Coordinates of all heavy atoms in Angstrom, one line a residue:
M144 N 61.0 55.6 96.2 CA 61.4 54.8 95.0 C 60.2 54.6 94.1 O 59.1 54.2 94.5 CB 62.0 53.5 95.4 CG 62.5 52.7 94.2 SD 63.4 51.2 94.7 CE 62.0 50.2 95.3
A145 N 60.4 54.8 92.8 CA 59.3 54.5 91.8 C 59.8 53.3 91.1 O 61.0 53.0 90.9 CB 59.1 55.6 90.9
I146 N 58.8 52.5 90.6 CA 59.2 51.3 89.9 C 58.6 51.3 88.5 O 57.4 51.6 88.3 CB 58.6 50.0 90.6 CG1 59.1 49.9 92.1 CG2 58.8 48.8 89.9 CD1 58.5 48.9 92.9
L147 N 59.4 51.2 87.5 CA 59.0 51.2 86.1 C 58.8 49.7 85.7 O 59.7 48.9 85.8 CB 60.1 51.8 85.2 CG 59.8 51.8 83.7 CD1 58.5 52.5 83.4 CD2 61.0 52.4 83.0
V148 N 57.6 49.4 85.4 CA 57.3 48.0 84.9 C 57.1 48.0 83.4 O 56.1 48.5 82.9 CB 56.0 47.5 85.6 CG1 55.7 46.0 85.2 CG2 56.1 47.6 87.2
T149 N 58.1 47.4 82.7 CA 57.9 47.3 81.3 C 57.2 46.0 81.0 O 57.3 45.0 81.8 CB 59.3 47.3 80.6 OG1 60.0 46.1 81.0 CG2 60.1 48.5 80.9
G150 N 56.4 46.0 80.0 CA 55.5 44.8 79.7 C 54.4 44.7 80.8 O 53.8 43.7 81.0
G151 N 54.1 45.9 81.4 CA 53.2 45.9 82.5 C 51.7 45.6 82.1 O 50.9 45.4 83.0
A152 N 51.4 45.7 80.8 CA 50.0 45.4 80.4 C 49.8 44.0 80.0 O 48.7 43.6 79.6 CB 49.6 46.4 79.3
G153 N 50.8 43.2 80.2 CA 50.7 41.8 79.8 C 50.3 40.9 81.0 O 49.9 41.5 82.1
Y154 N 50.3 39.7 80.8 CA 49.8 38.7 81.8 C 50.5 38.8 83.2 O 50.0 39.2 84.2 CB 49.8 37.3 81.3 CG 49.4 36.2 82.3 CD1 48.1 36.2 82.8 CD2 50.3 35.2 82.6 CE1 47.7 35.2 83.7 CE2 49.9 34.2 83.5 CZ 48.6 34.2 84.0 OH 48.2 33.2 84.9
I155 N 51.8 38.6 83.1 CA 52.6 38.6 84.3 C 52.8 40.1 84.8 O 52.7 40.4 86.0 CB 54.0 37.9 84.1 CG1 53.7 36.4 84.0 CG2 54.9 38.3 85.2 CD1 55.0 35.6 83.8
G156 N 53.0 41.0 83.9 CA 53.3 42.4 84.2 C 52.1 43.0 84.9 O 52.2 43.7 85.9
S157 N 50.9 42.7 84.5 CA 49.7 43.3 85.1 C 49.4 42.8 86.5 O 49.0 43.6 87.4 CB 48.4 43.1 84.2 OG 48.1 41.8 84.0
V158 N 49.7 41.5 86.7 CA 49.6 41.0 88.0 C 50.6 41.6 89.0 O 50.4 42.0 90.1 CB 49.7 39.4 88.0 CG1 49.8 38.9 89.4 CG2 48.6 38.8 87.2
T159 N 51.8 41.8 88.4 CA 52.9 42.4 89.2 C 52.5 43.9 89.6 O 52.7 44.3 90.7 CB 54.2 42.4 88.3 OG1 54.6 41.1 88.0 CG2 55.4 43.1 89.1
V160 N 52.0 44.6 88.6 CA 51.6 46.0 88.9 C 50.5 46.0 89.9 O 50.6 46.8 90.9 CB 51.1 46.6 87.6 CG1 50.3 47.9 87.9 CG2 52.2 46.9 86.6
E161 N 49.5 45.1 89.8 CA 48.5 45.1 90.8 C 49.0 44.8 92.2 O 48.6 45.4 93.2 CB 47.5 44.0 90.4 CG 46.2 44.0 91.2 CD 45.2 42.9 90.7 OE1 45.1 42.7 89.5 OE2 44.7 42.2 91.6
R162 N 49.9 43.9 92.3 CA 50.5 43.5 93.6 C 51.3 44.7 94.2 O 51.3 45.0 95.4 CB 51.3 42.2 93.6 CG 50.4 41.1 93.3 CD 51.1 39.7 93.6 NE 50.1 38.7 93.4 CZ 50.4 37.4 93.6 NH1 51.6 37.1 94.1 NH2 49.5 36.5 93.4
L163 N 52.1 45.3 93.3 CA 52.9 46.4 93.8 C 52.0 47.6 94.2 O 52.3 48.2 95.3 CB 53.8 46.9 92.6 CG 55.0 46.0 92.2 CD1 55.6 46.4 90.9 CD2 56.0 45.9 93.4
A164 N 50.9 47.8 93.5 CA 50.0 48.9 93.9 C 49.4 48.6 95.2 O 49.2 49.5 96.1 CB 48.9 49.1 92.8
T165 N 49.0 47.3 95.4 CA 48.4 46.9 96.7 C 49.4 47.2 97.8 O 49.0 47.5 99.0 CB 48.0 45.4 96.7 OG1 47.1 45.2 95.6 CG2 47.4 44.9 98.0
N166 N 50.7 47.0 97.5 CA 51.7 47.3 98.6 C 52.0 48.7 98.7 O 53.0 49.1 99.5 CB 53.0 46.5 98.3 CG 52.8 45.0 98.5 OD1 51.9 44.6 99.2 ND2 53.6 44.2 97.8
G167 N 51.3 49.6 98.0 CA 51.6 51.0 98.1 C 52.7 51.6 97.4 O 53.2 52.7 97.6
E168 N 53.3 50.8 96.4 CA 54.4 51.3 95.7 C 54.0 52.3 94.6 O 52.9 52.3 94.1 CB 55.1 50.1 94.9 CG 55.6 49.0 95.9 CD 56.8 49.5 96.7 OE1 57.3 50.6 96.5 OE2 57.2 48.7 97.6
S169 N 54.9 53.2 94.2 CA 54.7 54.2 93.2 C 55.2 53.5 91.9 O 56.3 53.0 91.8 CB 55.5 55.4 93.4 OG 55.3 56.4 92.4
I170 N 54.3 53.4 90.9 CA 54.5 52.6 89.7 C 54.3 53.5 88.4 O 53.4 54.3 88.4 CB 53.6 51.4 89.6 CG1 53.6 50.6 90.9 CG2 53.9 50.5 88.4 CD1 52.3 49.8 91.1
V171 N 55.1 53.2 87.4 CA 54.9 53.7 86.1 C 55.0 52.5 85.1 O 55.9 51.6 85.3 CB 56.0 54.7 85.7 CG1 55.8 55.1 84.2 CG2 55.9 56.0 86.6
V172 N 54.1 52.4 84.2 CA 54.0 51.2 83.3 C 54.4 51.7 81.9 O 54.0 52.7 81.4 CB 52.6 50.6 83.3 CG1 52.5 49.5 82.2 CG2 52.3 50.0 84.6
L173 N 55.3 50.9 81.3 CA 55.6 51.1 79.9 C 55.3 49.8 79.1 O 55.8 48.7 79.5 CB 57.2 51.4 79.7 CG 57.7 51.4 78.3 CD1 57.1 52.4 77.5 CD2 59.3 51.6 78.4
D174 N 54.5 49.9 78.1 CA 54.2 48.7 77.3 C 53.9 49.1 75.9 O 53.3 50.2 75.7 CB 53.0 48.0 77.9 CG 52.8 46.6 77.4 OD1 52.6 46.4 76.2 OD2 52.8 45.6 78.2
D175 N 54.3 48.4 74.9 CA 54.1 48.7 73.5 C 52.7 48.2 73.0 O 52.3 48.5 71.9 CB 55.2 48.3 72.6 CG 55.4 46.8 72.5 OD1 54.5 46.1 73.0 OD2 56.3 46.4 71.8
L176 N 52.0 47.5 73.9 CA 50.7 46.9 73.6 C 50.7 46.0 72.4 O 49.7 45.8 71.7 CB 49.7 48.0 73.4 CG 49.4 48.9 74.6 CD1 48.3 49.9 74.4 CD2 49.0 48.0 75.9
S177 N 51.9 45.4 72.1 CA 51.9 44.5 71.0 C 51.1 43.2 71.3 O 50.6 42.5 70.5 CB 53.4 44.1 70.7 OG 54.0 43.6 71.8
Y178 N 51.1 42.9 72.6 CA 50.3 41.8 73.1 C 49.4 42.2 74.3 O 48.4 41.5 74.5 CB 51.2 40.6 73.6 CG 52.0 40.0 72.5 CD1 53.4 40.3 72.3 CD2 51.4 39.1 71.5 CE1 54.1 39.7 71.3 CE2 52.2 38.6 70.5 CZ 53.5 38.9 70.4 OH 54.2 38.4 69.4
G179 N 49.8 43.1 75.1 CA 49.1 43.5 76.3 C 47.9 44.3 76.0 O 47.6 44.7 74.8
H180 N 47.2 44.7 77.0 CA 45.9 45.5 76.9 C 46.0 46.6 77.9 O 46.2 46.4 79.1 CB 44.7 44.6 77.2 CG 44.7 43.3 76.4 ND1 44.2 43.4 75.1 CD2 45.1 42.1 76.5 CE1 44.3 42.2 74.5 NE2 44.9 41.4 75.4
R181 N 45.7 47.8 77.4 CA 45.6 49.0 78.3 C 44.7 48.8 79.5 O 45.0 49.3 80.6 CB 45.3 50.2 77.4 CG 45.1 51.5 78.2 CD 46.5 51.9 78.8 NE 46.4 53.2 79.6 CZ 46.2 53.2 80.9 NH1 46.0 52.0 81.6 NH2 46.2 54.3 81.6
E182 N 43.6 48.1 79.2 CA 42.6 48.0 80.3 C 43.1 47.1 81.4 O 42.5 47.1 82.5 CB 41.3 47.3 79.7 CG 40.8 47.9 78.4 CD 41.5 47.2 77.2 OE1 41.3 46.1 76.9 OE2 42.4 47.9 76.6
A183 N 44.2 46.4 81.2 CA 44.7 45.6 82.3 C 45.3 46.4 83.4 O 45.6 45.9 84.5 CB 45.7 44.6 81.7
I184 N 45.6 47.7 83.1 CA 46.2 48.6 84.1 C 45.2 49.6 84.6 O 44.5 50.2 83.8 CB 47.4 49.3 83.4 CG1 48.4 48.3 82.9 CG2 48.1 50.3 84.4 CD1 49.0 47.4 83.9
D185 N 45.2 49.8 85.9 CA 44.3 50.7 86.5 C 44.5 52.1 85.9 O 45.7 52.5 85.7 CB 44.6 50.8 88.0 CG 43.6 51.6 88.8 OD1 43.7 52.9 88.6 OD2 42.7 51.1 89.5
A186 N 43.4 52.8 85.6 CA 43.5 54.1 84.9 C 44.3 55.1 85.7 O 44.8 56.1 85.2 CB 42.1 54.6 84.6
G187 N 44.4 54.9 87.0 CA 45.2 55.9 87.9 C 46.7 55.7 87.9 O 47.4 56.5 88.4
I188 N 47.1 54.6 87.2 CA 48.6 54.4 87.2 C 49.2 55.0 85.9 O 48.7 54.7 84.8 CB 48.8 52.9 87.2 CG1 48.4 52.3 88.6 CG2 50.3 52.6 87.0 CD1 48.5 50.8 88.7
P189 N 50.2 55.8 86.0 CA 50.8 56.4 84.8 C 51.2 55.3 83.8 O 51.9 54.3 84.2 CB 52.1 57.1 85.4 CG 51.7 57.4 86.8 CD 50.9 56.2 87.2
F190 N 50.8 55.5 82.5 CA 51.1 54.5 81.5 C 51.7 55.2 80.3 O 51.2 56.3 79.8 CB 49.7 53.9 81.1 CG 49.9 52.9 80.0 CD1 50.3 51.6 80.2 CD2 49.6 53.2 78.7 CE1 50.5 50.7 79.2 CE2 49.8 52.3 77.6 CZ 50.2 51.1 77.9
Y191 N 52.7 54.6 79.8 CA 53.3 55.0 78.5 C 53.2 53.9 77.5 O 53.6 52.8 77.8 CB 54.8 55.4 78.7 CG 55.0 56.7 79.4 CD1 55.0 56.7 80.8 CD2 55.3 57.9 78.8 CE1 55.2 57.9 81.5 CE2 55.5 59.0 79.5 CZ 55.4 59.0 80.9 OH 55.6 60.2 81.6
Q192 N 52.8 54.2 76.3 CA 52.8 53.2 75.2 C 54.0 53.4 74.4 O 54.3 54.5 73.8 CB 51.5 53.3 74.3 CG 51.5 52.2 73.2 CD 50.3 52.2 72.4 OE1 49.3 53.0 72.7 NE2 50.2 51.4 71.4
G193 N 54.9 52.4 74.3 CA 56.1 52.5 73.6 C 57.0 51.3 73.9 O 56.6 50.4 74.8
S194 N 58.1 51.2 73.2 CA 59.0 50.1 73.4 C 60.0 50.3 74.5 O 60.6 51.4 74.7 CB 59.8 49.8 72.1 OG 60.8 48.8 72.3
A195 N 60.3 49.2 75.2 CA 61.3 49.3 76.3 C 62.7 49.5 75.6 O 63.7 49.8 76.3 CB 61.3 48.0 77.1
G196 N 62.8 49.3 74.3 CA 64.1 49.6 73.6 C 64.2 51.0 73.1 O 65.3 51.3 72.6
D197 N 63.2 51.8 73.4 CA 63.3 53.2 73.0 C 64.0 54.0 74.0 O 63.4 54.5 75.0 CB 61.8 53.7 72.8 CG 61.8 55.1 72.2 OD1 62.8 55.9 72.3 OD2 60.7 55.5 71.6
R198 N 65.3 54.3 73.8 CA 66.1 55.0 74.8 C 65.6 56.4 75.1 O 65.6 56.9 76.2 CB 67.5 55.0 74.4 CG 68.2 53.6 74.3 CD 69.5 53.7 73.6 NE 70.5 54.5 74.3 CZ 71.4 53.9 75.1 NH1 71.4 52.6 75.3 NH2 72.2 54.7 75.8
N199 N 65.1 57.1 74.0 CA 64.6 58.4 74.2 C 63.4 58.5 75.1 O 63.2 59.3 76.0 CB 64.3 59.1 72.9 CG 65.6 59.4 72.1 OD1 66.6 59.6 72.7 ND2 65.4 59.4 70.8
L200 N 62.5 57.5 74.9 CA 61.3 57.4 75.7 C 61.6 57.1 77.1 O 61.1 57.6 78.1 CB 60.3 56.4 75.1 CG 59.0 56.1 75.9 CD1 58.2 57.4 76.0 CD2 58.2 55.1 75.2
L201 N 62.6 56.1 77.3 CA 63.0 55.8 78.7 C 63.6 57.0 79.4 O 63.3 57.2 80.6 CB 64.0 54.6 78.6 CG 63.5 53.2 78.4 CD1 64.6 52.3 78.2 CD2 62.6 52.8 79.5
A202 N 64.4 57.7 78.7 CA 65.0 58.9 79.3 C 63.9 59.9 79.7 O 63.9 60.5 80.7 CB 66.0 59.6 78.3
D203 N 62.9 60.0 78.8 CA 61.8 61.0 79.1 C 61.0 60.6 80.3 O 60.7 61.4 81.2 CB 60.8 61.0 77.9 CG 59.7 62.0 78.1 OD1 60.0 63.1 78.5 OD2 58.6 61.6 77.8
I204 N 60.8 59.3 80.4 CA 60.1 58.7 81.6 C 60.9 59.0 82.9 O 60.3 59.5 83.9 CB 59.7 57.2 81.4 CG1 58.7 57.0 80.3 CG2 59.2 56.7 82.7 CD1 58.5 55.6 79.9
V205 N 62.1 58.7 82.8 CA 63.0 58.7 84.0 C 63.2 60.2 84.4 O 63.0 60.5 85.6 CB 64.3 58.1 83.8 CG1 65.3 58.3 84.9 CG2 64.1 56.5 83.6
F206 N 63.5 61.1 83.5 CA 63.9 62.4 83.9 C 62.7 63.4 84.0 O 62.9 64.5 84.5 CB 65.0 62.9 82.9 CG 66.2 62.2 83.0 CD1 66.7 61.4 82.0 CD2 67.0 62.2 84.2 CE1 67.8 60.6 82.1 CE2 68.2 61.5 84.3 CZ 68.6 60.7 83.2
T207 N 61.6 63.0 83.4 CA 60.5 64.0 83.5 C 59.4 63.3 84.4 O 59.2 63.8 85.6 CB 59.8 64.3 82.2 OG1 59.4 63.2 81.5 CG2 60.8 65.1 81.3
S208 N 58.7 62.3 84.0 CA 57.6 61.8 84.7 C 58.0 61.3 86.1 O 57.3 61.6 87.1 CB 57.0 60.6 84.0 OG 56.5 61.0 82.8
L209 N 59.1 60.5 86.2 CA 59.4 60.0 87.5 C 59.9 61.1 88.5 O 59.6 61.1 89.7 CB 60.4 58.8 87.4 CG 59.9 57.6 86.7 CD1 61.0 56.5 86.7 CD2 58.7 57.0 87.4
S210 N 60.7 62.0 88.0 CA 61.2 63.0 88.8 C 60.1 64.0 89.3 O 60.2 64.7 90.3 CB 62.4 63.8 88.2 OG 61.9 64.4 87.0
C211 N 59.0 64.1 88.5 CA 57.9 65.0 88.8 C 56.9 64.3 89.8 O 56.0 64.9 90.3 CB 57.2 65.5 87.6 SG 58.2 66.6 86.6
A212 N 57.1 63.0 89.9 CA 56.1 62.3 90.7 C 56.7 62.3 92.2 O 57.2 63.3 92.6 CB 55.9 60.8 90.2
R213 N 56.6 61.2 92.8 CA 56.9 61.2 94.2 C 58.4 60.9 94.5 O 58.8 60.6 95.6 CB 56.1 60.2 95.0 CG 54.7 60.7 95.3 CD 53.9 59.8 96.1 NE 53.3 58.8 95.2 CZ 52.7 57.7 95.7 NH1 52.7 57.4 96.9 NH2 52.2 56.8 94.8
C214 N 59.2 60.8 93.4 CA 60.6 60.4 93.5 C 61.4 61.7 93.8 O 61.2 62.7 93.1 CB 61.2 59.8 92.3 SG 60.0 58.8 91.4
S215 N 62.4 61.6 94.6 CA 63.4 62.6 94.8 C 64.5 62.3 93.8 O 64.6 61.1 93.3 CB 64.0 62.6 96.2 OG 64.7 61.5 96.4
P216 N 65.3 63.3 93.4 CA 66.4 63.0 92.4 C 67.3 61.9 92.9 O 67.9 61.2 92.1 CB 67.2 64.3 92.4 CG 66.1 65.3 92.8 CD 65.3 64.7 93.8
S217 N 67.4 61.6 94.2 CA 68.3 60.6 94.7 C 67.6 59.2 94.8 O 68.2 58.2 95.1 CB 68.8 61.0 96.1 OG 67.7 61.1 97.0
S218 N 66.3 59.2 94.4 CA 65.6 57.9 94.4 C 66.2 57.0 93.4 O 66.7 57.3 92.4 CB 64.1 58.1 94.1 OG 63.5 58.9 95.0
L219 N 66.1 55.7 93.8 CA 66.6 54.7 92.9 C 65.4 54.3 92.0 O 64.2 54.3 92.4 CB 67.0 53.5 93.6 CG 68.3 53.6 94.4 CD1 68.5 52.3 95.2 CD2 69.5 53.8 93.5
L220 N 65.7 54.0 90.7 CA 64.7 53.5 89.8 C 64.9 52.0 89.7 O 66.0 51.5 89.3 CB 64.8 54.2 88.5 CG 63.9 53.6 87.4 CD1 62.5 53.9 87.7 CD2 64.3 54.2 86.0
L221 N 63.9 51.3 90.1 CA 64.0 49.8 89.9 C 63.3 49.4 88.7 O 62.1 49.7 88.5 CB 63.3 49.1 91.1 CG 63.2 47.6 91.1 CD1 64.6 47.0 91.0 CD2 62.5 47.1 92.3
L222 N 64.0 48.8 87.8 CA 63.4 48.5 86.5 C 63.0 47.0 86.5 O 63.9 46.1 86.7 CB 64.4 48.7 85.4 CG 64.0 48.3 84.0 CD1 62.8 49.1 83.5 CD2 65.2 48.5 83.0
F223 N 61.7 46.8 86.5 CA 61.3 45.4 86.5 C 60.8 45.1 85.1 O 59.9 45.7 84.6 CB 60.1 45.2 87.4 CG 59.5 43.8 87.4 CD1 60.0 42.8 88.3 CD2 58.6 43.4 86.5 CE1 59.5 41.5 88.2 CE2 58.1 42.1 86.4 CZ 58.6 41.2 87.3
D224 N 61.5 44.3 84.4 CA 61.3 44.0 83.0 C 60.7 42.7 82.8 O 61.3 41.7 82.8 CB 62.6 44.1 82.2 CG 62.3 44.2 80.7 OD1 61.2 43.8 80.3 OD2 63.2 44.7 80.0
S225 N 59.3 42.6 82.6 CA 58.7 41.4 82.4 C 59.0 40.8 81.0 O 58.6 39.7 80.7 CB 57.2 41.5 82.6 OG 56.6 42.1 81.5
A226 N 59.6 41.6 80.2 CA 59.9 41.1 78.8 C 61.4 40.8 78.7 O 61.9 40.8 77.6 CB 59.5 42.1 77.8
I227 N 62.1 40.5 79.8 CA 63.5 40.3 79.8 C 63.9 39.1 78.9 O 64.8 39.2 78.0 CB 64.1 40.1 81.2 CG1 64.2 41.5 81.9 CG2 65.4 39.4 81.1 CD1 64.7 41.4 83.3
S228 N 63.2 38.0 79.0 CA 63.6 36.8 78.2 C 63.2 37.1 76.8 O 63.9 36.6 75.9 CB 62.9 35.6 78.7 OG 61.5 35.7 78.6
F229 N 62.2 37.9 76.5 CA 61.9 38.3 75.1 C 63.1 39.1 74.6 O 63.5 38.8 73.4 CB 60.7 39.2 75.1 CG 60.4 39.9 73.8 CD1 59.7 39.3 72.8 CD2 60.9 41.2 73.6 CE1 59.5 39.9 71.6 CE2 60.7 41.9 72.4 CZ 60.0 41.2 71.4
G230 N 63.7 40.0 75.4 CA 64.8 40.7 74.9 C 66.0 39.9 74.6 O 66.7 40.0 73.6
F231 N 66.3 38.9 75.5 CA 67.4 38.0 75.2 C 67.2 37.2 73.9 O 68.1 37.0 73.1 CB 67.5 37.0 76.4 CG 68.1 37.6 77.6 CD1 67.8 37.1 78.9 CD2 69.0 38.6 77.5 CE1 68.3 37.6 80.0 CE2 69.6 39.2 78.7 CZ 69.2 38.7 79.9
N232 N 65.9 36.8 73.7 CA 65.6 36.0 72.5 C 65.9 36.9 71.3 O 66.4 36.5 70.3 CB 64.1 35.5 72.5 CG 63.9 34.4 73.5 OD1 64.9 33.7 73.8 ND2 62.7 34.3 73.9
Q233 N 65.4 38.2 71.4 CA 65.6 39.1 70.3 C 67.1 39.3 70.0 O 67.5 39.3 68.8 CB 65.0 40.4 70.6 CG 63.5 40.4 70.5 CD 63.0 40.2 69.1 OE1 62.7 39.1 68.8 NE2 62.9 41.3 68.4
S234 N 67.9 39.4 71.0 CA 69.3 39.7 70.8 C 70.1 38.5 70.2 O 71.2 38.7 69.7 CB 70.0 40.0 72.2 OG 70.0 38.9 73.1
R235 N 69.5 37.3 70.3 CA 70.1 36.2 69.7 C 69.9 36.0 68.2 O 70.5 35.3 67.5 CB 69.7 34.9 70.4 CG 70.4 34.6 71.7 CD 70.3 33.1 72.0 NE 68.9 32.7 72.3 CZ 68.4 32.7 73.6 NH1 69.2 33.0 74.6 NH2 67.2 32.3 73.8
V236 N 68.8 36.8 67.7 CA 68.5 36.7 66.3 C 69.6 37.2 65.4 O 70.2 38.2 65.7 CB 67.1 37.4 66.0 CG1 66.8 37.5 64.6 CG2 66.0 36.8 66.8
Ligands
NAD329 N1 53.0 33.5 81.4 C1 53.8 32.6 82.0 O1 53.3 31.6 82.6 C2 55.3 32.7 82.0 C3 56.1 31.8 82.7 C4 57.5 31.9 82.7 C5 58.0 33.0 82.0 N2 57.3 33.8 81.3 C6 57.9 34.9 80.6 O2 57.5 36.2 81.2 C7 57.4 37.2 80.2 C8 56.0 37.8 80.2 O3 55.1 36.7 79.9 P1 53.5 37.1 79.8 O4 52.8 35.8 79.8 O5 53.2 38.1 80.8 O6 53.5 37.6 78.3 P2 52.6 38.8 77.7 O7 52.6 38.7 76.2 O8 51.2 38.7 78.3 O9 53.2 40.1 78.3 C9 54.3 40.7 77.7 C10 54.0 42.2 77.6 O10 55.2 42.9 77.1 C11 54.8 43.8 76.1 N3 55.9 44.0 75.3 C12 56.5 43.1 74.4 N4 57.6 43.6 73.9 C13 57.7 44.9 74.4 C14 58.6 45.9 74.2 N5 59.7 45.8 73.3 N6 58.5 47.1 74.8 C15 57.4 47.2 75.7 N7 56.5 46.3 75.9 C16 56.7 45.1 75.3 C17 53.6 43.2 75.4 O11 52.7 44.1 74.8 C18 52.8 42.5 76.7 O12 52.0 43.4 77.3 C19 57.8 36.5 78.9 O13 59.2 36.7 78.6 C20 57.5 35.0 79.2 O14 58.4 34.2 78.3 C21 55.9 33.7 81.3

């Protein structure tokens, strides 16, 4: 299973990524860097700069990068969204 961490370059996301990596998980990070920092993520971890709301980019990550990595087609994708409350706030505007 690969884990996509959105907002992974931020405060909580980067700590989450570090802990997941320590546990040997396969991780991909998506962050638009509006607040986060690329340097917060180990250079060896696949990183995409873009919005979690970009459906085309998400599809690209899921169907190309993740399937070409250690995931089998039957693998589950666990989406850990550190910006979930941000999204809820946006949807109320
Ligand atoms: N820091 C805390 O103590 C704390 C406590 C409770 C809840 N939270 C909540 O956890 C979430 C993360 O907090 P944080 O302190 O890590 O914030 P942060 O700003 O450090 O991290 C958020 C990350 O999400 C990225 N981001 C924002 N919008 C994005 C989008 N549309 N697509 C992709 N990436 C996007 C930013 O660039 C940033 O790297 C927030 O919703 C916050 O309200 C934080």
Side-chain angles (χ1 to χ4, degrees):
M144 178 175 73
I146 300 173
L147 175 62
V148 182
T149 64
Y154 177 60
I155 289 181
S157 61
V158 172
T159 301
V160 168
E161 189 179 317
R162 293 198 177 182
L163 289 170
T165 300
N166 288 339
E168 301 289 353
S169 180
I170 307 156
V171 175
V172 173
L173 170 63
D174 197 299
D175 65 4
L176 298 183
S177 54
Y178 295 103
H180 304 278
R181 177 66 183 90
E182 316 83 74
I184 301 300
D185 187 288
I188 294 175
F190 177 84
Y191 288 81
Q192 182 174 354
S194 173
D197 184 340
R198 295 169 66 96
N199 291 330
L200 178 58
L201 282 173
D203 183 47
I204 293 171
V205 171
F206 293 113
T207 60
S208 297
L209 292 181
S210 62
C211 290
R213 282 183 277 167
C214 324
S215 70
S217 58
S218 294
L219 291 176
L220 173 68
L221 175 62
L222 177 63
F223 179 91
D224 191 341
S225 75
I227 281 178
S228 61
F229 169 86
F231 285 151
N232 288 337
Q233 287 293 95
S234 67
R235 279 202 293 264
V236 172

